Amino acid sequence: MVHGLNGEIKSFRNLEDLSAAAADRIVEIIHEVVSKEGVFSLALSGGSTPKTLYKFLSTTRRDVIPWDRIHIFFGDERYISQDDLQSNFRMARETLLEAVPIPRENVHPIRTNFPDAEKAAVAYEREVREFFPGTENTFTLALLGMGKEGHTASLFPYSPALDETDRWVVPVSTPALPPTRITLTYPPLNSSRNIFFLVAGAGKREALRAAVTPSTDHHLCPSAGIKPSHGDLIWWVDTAAWPSS
Ligand code: 6PG
């Protein structure tokens, strides 16, 4: 473990290996938490990196996970139809949700069929707050990815959302396509009991170094603003993104 960094870095040869190791740790935490508390809340990340992990969870690890005790949330969503190829919900449905026996009522997508993104954000915040009794403990595990310029969920550099301290869910206009998105803000993410980043590829190297450096300004690199108030932060990375120094 490299000391003095924002979180613990676990480096692997490639995406397949880091995803398999993360899947095994997720199964361990699920068993620990469900045996004591009976329920496990998991916030999924969008993008392409987590697809390998989701595949492991829905195939080789499928039958050791008590899916009826799992509640699925989303860290962010593109404000498009859930049937659009760019929808995070569609990606999760196709790589994970369709293949596991999770009750429909346990899946909490960010709905995108409101007249506008603001109404969608308000509705999702209500659903998330209803699930968590207080504000100190939110997701048992939040999965996050990171863009090449350091964004996470749909928290992008210089976004006003980075300074949001009250709302848990906000609509944002981003430089990415599609531009309009709904995203969790730092408060609910940093109140998670476990946060796993999955980062792979040489293109993420610079952003990863910045994200784990405690002095980094989170307005420049939003992933650096993920600092759980009481939970554990683990970076599951490959050696392309984190060359062993
Ligand atoms: C999204 C994700 C986003 C993603 C990063 C990394 O909606 O796209 O929430 O934060 O994790 O953009 O994406 P890749 O894994 O595809 O590099």
Side-chain angles (χ1 to χ4, degrees):
M1 180 170 172
V2 183
H3 293 286
L5 296 179
N6 179 30
E8 179 187 356
I9 295 178
K10 292 183 181 291
S11 175
F12 299 83
R13 194 167 40 127
N14 54 40
L15 177 60
E16 183 96 3
D17 289 358
L18 79 87
S19 303
D24 290 340
R25 182 59 188 134
I26 290 170
V27 170
E28 284 174 359
I29 300 174
I30 287 173
H31 288 170
E32 288 163 15
V33 171
V34 169
S35 63
K36 292 180 194 151
E37 303 171 27
V39 67
F40 185 96
S41 52
L42 171 61
L44 297 182
S45 167
S48 56
T49 304
K51 289 180 179 177
T52 307
L53 168 62
Y54 297 168
K55 276 290 179 189
F56 280 133
L57 295 177
S58 63
T59 55
T60 50
R61 279 73 174 178
R62 178 185 183 278
D63 296 336
V64 295
I65 294 174
W67 291 102
D68 62 327
R69 303 302 183 89
I70 310 292
H71 278 262
I72 298 279
F73 294 86
F74 289 78
D76 72 324
E77 184 57 278
R78 294 87 182 275
Y79 202 63
I80 50 178
S81 160
Q82 288 180 347
D83 295 322
D84 191 301
L85 272 174
Q86 299 180 100
S87 161
N88 288 339
F89 177 69
R90 174 168 174 171
M91 184 273 279
R93 189 177 63 209
E94 292 176 345
T95 59
L96 177 62
L97 302 175
E98 282 174 344
V100 299
I102 187 167
R104 280 180 65 86
E105 63 271 21
N106 287 23
V107 180
H108 309 267
I110 299 176
R111 289 175 42 218
T112 58
N113 57 346
F114 287 87
D116 58 54
E118 169 64 20
K119 289 183 177 61
V122 168
Y124 200 61
E125 173 151 349
R126 185 179 310 116
E127 183 166 358
V128 174
R129 285 186 183 271
E130 275 173 10
F131 187 85
F132 297 110
T135 59
E136 294 314 307
N137 273 305
T138 51
F139 307 103
T140 320
L141 171 63
L143 295 175
L144 291 172
M146 186 181 68
K148 290 178 180 173
E149 85 300 315
H151 84 262
T152 189
S154 283
L155 297 170
F156 281 76
Y158 309 108
S159 167
L162 300 175
D163 294 316
E164 178 58 56
T165 55
D166 298 321
R167 294 182 69 177
W168 279 16
V169 185
V170 293
V172 289
S173 178
T174 77
L177 292 175
T180 305
R181 303 187 175 199
I182 311 290
T183 187
L184 293 185
T185 56
Y186 286 132
L189 289 171
N190 283 330
S191 295
S192 301
R193 288 159 58 183
N194 297 274
I195 302 174
F196 285 4
F197 266 102
L198 280 75
V199 182
K204 306 280 179 82
R205 194 173 296 176
E206 190 180 329
L208 179 55
R209 173 64 64 179
V212 301
T213 302
S215 60
T216 296
D217 178 353
H218 65 280
H219 294 92
L220 302 178
C221 177
S223 294
I226 298 295
K227 297 180 176 175
S229 49
H230 55 275
D232 293 327
L233 170 57
I234 300 179
W235 299 81
W236 302 85
V237 305
D238 67 2
T239 50
W242 186 261
S244 46
S245 39

